């Protein structure tokens, strides 16, 4: 009998429920639920886009700053090694082509040095800038020493 009364109650009140003075029909409840769902999803998507923007900016910094720096640094290291090898070959064989390779290596080192210095303008770390200045001083000493070797060997 209780089930019949419950069934008749549901069928007679299925379109409108009284809730603290509000007439909440099924349509109104569905709209409210949809609005809550849209609000939650909008918030979730906004947070996701915000976090994605953070990741994108960090990735962009890596791609546009660190990757070229790594490539230039590798070429830079290779050119320094090539200059030393050219001097050694020139001293061992006396062939002029190795002396030309030496000067070509230092021309490329100068280009790479300019590119590295330009990219390091964006670095905020004073420790890195101090290390770069120290490295440039050592590089100039290497250039002078290699030039002295060539001058001495030419005599």
């Amino acid at each position: 009998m209780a089930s019949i009364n419950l069934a008749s109650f549901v069928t007679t009140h299925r379109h409108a429920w009284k809730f603290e003075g509000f007439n909440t029909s099924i349509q109104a409840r569905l709209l409210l639920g949809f609005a809550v769902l849209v609000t939650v999803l909008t918030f979730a998507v906004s947070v996701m886009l915000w976090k994605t923007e953070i990741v994108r900016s960090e990735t962009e910094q890596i791609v546009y700053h660190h990757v070229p720096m790594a490539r230039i640094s590798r070429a830079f290291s290779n050119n320094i090694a090539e200059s030393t090898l050219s001097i050694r070959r020139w001293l061992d064989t006396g062939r002029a082509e190795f002396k030309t390779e030496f000067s070509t290596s230092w021309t490329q080192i100068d280009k790479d040095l300019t590119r590295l210095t330009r990219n390091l303008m964006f670095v905020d770390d004073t420790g890195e800038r101090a290390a770069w200045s120290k490295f440039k001083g050592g590089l100039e000493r290497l250039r002078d020493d290699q030039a002295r070797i060539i001058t001495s060997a030419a005599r």
Side-chain angles (χ1 to χ4, degrees), residues 3 38 61 64-65 143 148:
S3 63
V38 167
Q61 181 181 2
Y64 292 115
H65 181 66
R143 181 192 306 251
R148 266 190 256 127

Side-chain angles (χ1 to χ4, degrees), residues 79-103 105-106 145-147 149-150 153:
N79 286 326
I80 290 172
E82 183 65 34
S83 72
T84 305
L85 183 62
S86 296
I87 288 178
R88 184 174 178 187
R89 286 178 179 166
W90 180 68
L91 291 173
D92 287 346
T93 64
R95 293 169 54 187
E97 62 199 44
F98 295 123
K99 194 173 179 181
T100 305
E101 282 181 13
F102 169 75
S103 61
S105 296
W106 274 102
D145 291 344
Q146 286 183 345
I149 289 171
I150 287 181

Side-chain angles (χ1 to χ4, degrees), residues 12-143:
T12 56
H13 294 90
R14 70 175 176 225
H15 295 293
W17 286 73
K18 295 285 183 185
F19 182 73
E20 295 182 21
F22 294 107
N23 185 7
T24 55
S25 65
I26 291 177
Q27 183 180 9
R29 285 183 279 158
L30 286 174
L31 285 175
L32 180 64
F34 182 71
V36 168
L37 182 65
V38 167
T39 303
V40 169
L41 287 176
T42 301
F43 177 74
V45 169
S46 298
V47 168
M48 182 191 66
L49 290 174
W50 176 57
K51 293 289 187 176
T52 303
E53 178 61 25
I54 292 170
V55 169
R56 186 200 59 77
S57 68
E58 289 176 2
T59 304
E60 187 176 278
Q61 181 181 2
I62 290 169
V63 168
Y64 292 115
H65 181 66
H66 295 293
V67 171
M69 290 287 285
R71 288 183 188 141
I72 295 168
S73 297
R74 177 177 286 161
F76 195 73
S77 301
N78 290 342
N79 286 326
I80 290 172
E82 183 65 34
S83 72
T84 305
L85 183 62
S86 296
I87 288 178
R88 184 174 178 187
R89 286 178 179 166
W90 180 68
L91 291 173
D92 287 346
T93 64
R95 293 169 54 187
E97 62 199 44
F98 295 123
K99 194 173 179 181
T100 305
E101 282 181 13
F102 169 75
S103 61
T104 304
S105 296
W106 274 102
T107 302
Q108 189 60 42
I109 288 170
D110 289 335
K111 288 179 186 175
D112 292 339
L113 186 65
T114 303
R115 290 168 56 197
L116 282 170
T117 303
R118 186 177 52 231
N119 283 345
L120 283 170
M121 289 185 335
F122 302 111
V123 174
D124 295 331
D125 187 13
T126 55
E128 284 187 32
R129 287 185 181 208
W132 177 246
S133 296
K134 186 177 179 181
F135 174 76
K136 282 174 56 176
L139 186 65
E140 288 303 317
R141 282 194 307 273
L142 175 67
R143 181 192 306 251

